[in-house]
Amino acid sequence: MAAHMDRIVLPGDKISDLKESETSKKVVLGPGLRTETEDVYACKPGVLKFKEPNVYWIDTHQKRYVPVKGEHVIGIVTQKAGDIFRVDIGGSDQASLSYLSFEGSTKRNRPDVKVGDIVYSRLLVANKDMEPEVVCIDSHGRSSGMGVIRSGGFLFKTSLNLVRKMCNPQCVLMKSLGNKFPFEVMVGMNGRIWVKGRTNKETVALANAVCAAEHMTNPQIKAMCHRLADALAGFE
């Protein structure tokens, strides 16, 4: 199977070798793949990827976000309608967020949410036939780091490919930056990243470093972080 992975596919390509080699176990199809009758086809251009034991997806430089249940996203509150907030998460439709979807929120103790606020949330409902719904609590009713972001920082948008790269536990970028600077970061699977350094100058430098790292190799990323630390040290 390894010989067939990491190859470029185009929309409409039939992934025939996947079905032939995985007849003994259930195949899990990720983004970019769809089934039609008993065959599997690519519906996005990109590189066919495989993860043990039986997960397949297409790695593509996509900017339009398609909501997926359970994913964490960064949204912007655009409207308040009664007890519901409308949140732009970068998809084709805005998501709804109930005032009760915050830790400790009740009818008497409502969260302080305003239009224009940035919220870090989790997708509770994501269906092509339904409006997306986000919440700022986990399955136990705890915030777990989710909620309104009020501590300054800088929000910017990147490709979904870079976001997946940053969410990898072995991401060299996050480790290299963490060794050089103390900073806060929140990564949304919808291609939005919020970062905050000790100063405005560090915050902007960190955001630029993240954007520049998308097409770099691991050695190039380490070298860039080292140069960045040296350059910022010269301003102190």
Side-chain angles (χ1 to χ4, degrees):
M1 172 55 63
H4 299 292
M5 293 302 102
D6 290 340
R7 77 170 189 265
I8 296 176
V9 295
L10 297 174
D13 286 355
K14 182 178 179 181
I15 318 298
S16 56
D17 52 329
L18 185 155
K19 179 173 180 283
E20 292 170 1
S21 58
E22 297 295 330
T23 54
S24 60
K25 52 187 175 182
K26 183 179 179 181
V27 175
V28 179
L29 301 179
L33 295 172
R34 64 179 175 84
T35 56
E36 186 173 313
T37 61
E38 295 184 355
D39 298 313
V40 178
Y41 292 89
C43 56
K44 293 179 181 179
V47 180
L48 181 63
K49 294 286 186 177
F50 168 71
K51 180 180 178 181
E52 293 287 351
N54 56 346
V55 180
Y56 298 85
W57 75 97
I58 293 179
D59 192 7
T60 179
H61 287 260
Q62 177 180 330
K63 290 190 175 181
R64 167 64 73 179
Y65 177 64
V66 179
V68 177
K69 182 179 179 180
E71 287 189 343
H72 288 79
V73 295
I74 297 177
I76 301 172
V77 179
T78 60
Q79 183 183 0
K80 181 180 179 182
D83 296 334
I84 300 295
F85 301 101
R86 310 291 298 175
V87 182
D88 173 20
I89 60 173
S92 57
D93 296 310
Q94 294 197 3
S96 62
L97 171 64
S98 170
Y99 76 94
L100 291 173
S101 298
F102 293 83
E103 182 178 4
S105 178
T106 63
K107 288 186 177 181
R108 292 192 176 185
N109 183 30
R110 298 192 175 216
D112 182 20
V113 182
K114 303 180 179 67
V115 173
D117 282 347
I118 300 171
V119 292
Y120 184 57
S121 57
R122 176 176 61 90
L123 275 158
L124 182 67
V125 175
N127 188 304
K128 65 179 181 178
D129 300 319
M130 298 178 63
E131 177 185 80
E133 180 182 348
V134 294
V135 294
C136 292
I137 50 176
D138 59 19
S139 56
H140 301 289
R142 301 296 180 89
S143 63
S144 298
M146 293 179 284
V148 179
I149 303 174
R150 298 197 185 280
S151 55
F154 180 59
L155 177 69
F156 58 100
K157 186 171 177 58
T158 68
S159 71
L160 303 186
N161 182 67
L162 178 57
V163 164
R164 290 191 292 268
K165 183 176 181 178
M166 292 180 64
C167 289
N168 188 327
Q170 305 302 320
C171 179
V172 172
L173 175 62
M174 291 291 97
K175 291 182 179 179
S176 299
L177 289 177
N179 290 334
K180 303 292 184 182
F181 313 96
F183 68 96
E184 300 176 59
V185 63
M186 289 186 180
V187 180
M189 295 305 295
N190 57 337
R192 290 176 180 165
I193 298 174
W194 175 87
V195 65
K196 181 183 180 182
R198 291 174 296 184
T199 64
N200 290 338
K201 190 171 295 182
E202 280 194 8
T203 298
V204 173
L206 289 165
N208 289 334
V210 169
C211 293
E214 180 172 2
H215 302 292
M216 288 184 177
T217 62
N218 288 340
Q220 290 173 332
I221 290 174
K222 292 179 180 178
M224 175 194 64
C225 293
H226 184 73
R227 292 194 304 270
L228 180 62
D230 290 343
L232 289 176
F235 287 102
E236 296 178 357

